Amino acid sequence: MSGWFIAAAAAAGADLAAKHYIDREFTEDEKRETAGGKVVITKYENKGGALGLLGDRPDLLKAVSAAGLGAAAAHLKDAQDGRRPWLVRLGLALITGGGISNVGERIARGKVTDYLVFPKTPKFMNKIVFNLGDLAIFSGIFITLLGELFSKKRTGRS
């Protein structure tokens, strides 16, 4: 197994472990501040996708989520030949790992446990509840885009 798939499994495992802890130790909407109030840990059961998207269409959400995870995993597998920059492979590993955790939970439970709030962020973000899988996906997208951008600059592709 490639190191990048191990990285994906580690991202998924970290999020699933955190969700297990939150499910066991927190009641719904309980809040605990940490990191000097910069992070609030809470328990929120999200039946939708990002920002509650498609919460009223669970079967469609499961299908779209599974298709996205499959696409990310396929791109990660294709990138294993070493022709893609390491940043792209890292980004795809994070997207795949976050997707494994969230899609797996969504299919198994019909909802995803979110648990991280960042109250010191700009107003449009400080009420959103995330999980580590979400952060892996978002950072993976950013890292993949950076890797592609740097790759195009280095090779002169447009």
Side-chain angles (χ1 to χ4, degrees):
M1 178 183 289
S2 142
W4 299 109
F5 279 100
I6 293 170
D15 187 41
L16 289 169
K19 288 173 178 176
H20 178 73
Y21 174 80
I22 296 296
D23 284 340
R24 191 179 68 240
E25 300 293 329
F26 280 69
T27 60
E28 185 76 21
D29 294 326
E30 177 182 351
K31 292 174 177 29
R32 298 182 197 170
E33 284 190 6
T34 187
K38 293 178 182 160
V39 179
V40 173
I41 302 173
T42 188
K43 179 180 180 180
Y44 177 73
E45 301 290 346
N46 184 0
K47 292 183 180 173
L51 304 175
L53 184 70
L54 295 176
D56 58 340
R57 308 275 312 270
D59 290 336
L60 177 60
L61 178 59
K62 287 177 186 178
V64 168
S65 299
L69 172 57
H75 284 297
L76 179 57
K77 181 183 179 302
D78 288 345
Q80 298 307 301
D81 63 10
R83 289 185 285 171
R84 305 299 318 138
W86 71 270
L87 276 176
V88 170
R89 289 179 275 160
L90 173 61
L92 290 170
L94 289 170
I95 294 166
T96 301
I100 288 169
S101 175
N102 283 341
V103 172
E105 189 180 25
R106 180 170 289 116
I107 289 171
R109 299 180 60 221
K111 57 189 172 185
V112 173
T113 303
D114 292 327
Y115 49 85
L116 296 170
V117 179
F118 302 99
K120 306 282 186 188
T121 57
K123 193 170 188 158
F124 72 93
M125 282 187 55
N126 66 15
K127 302 286 186 215
I128 300 171
V129 187
F130 299 92
N131 60 48
L132 289 176
D134 298 333
L135 298 179
I137 292 167
F138 297 139
S139 61
I141 290 169
F142 180 73
I143 290 168
T144 300
L145 292 173
L146 278 179
E148 289 292 351
L149 177 67
F150 290 139
S151 171
K152 289 178 181 178
K153 280 188 171 185
R154 192 178 72 237
T155 61
R157 294 182 294 160
S158 55

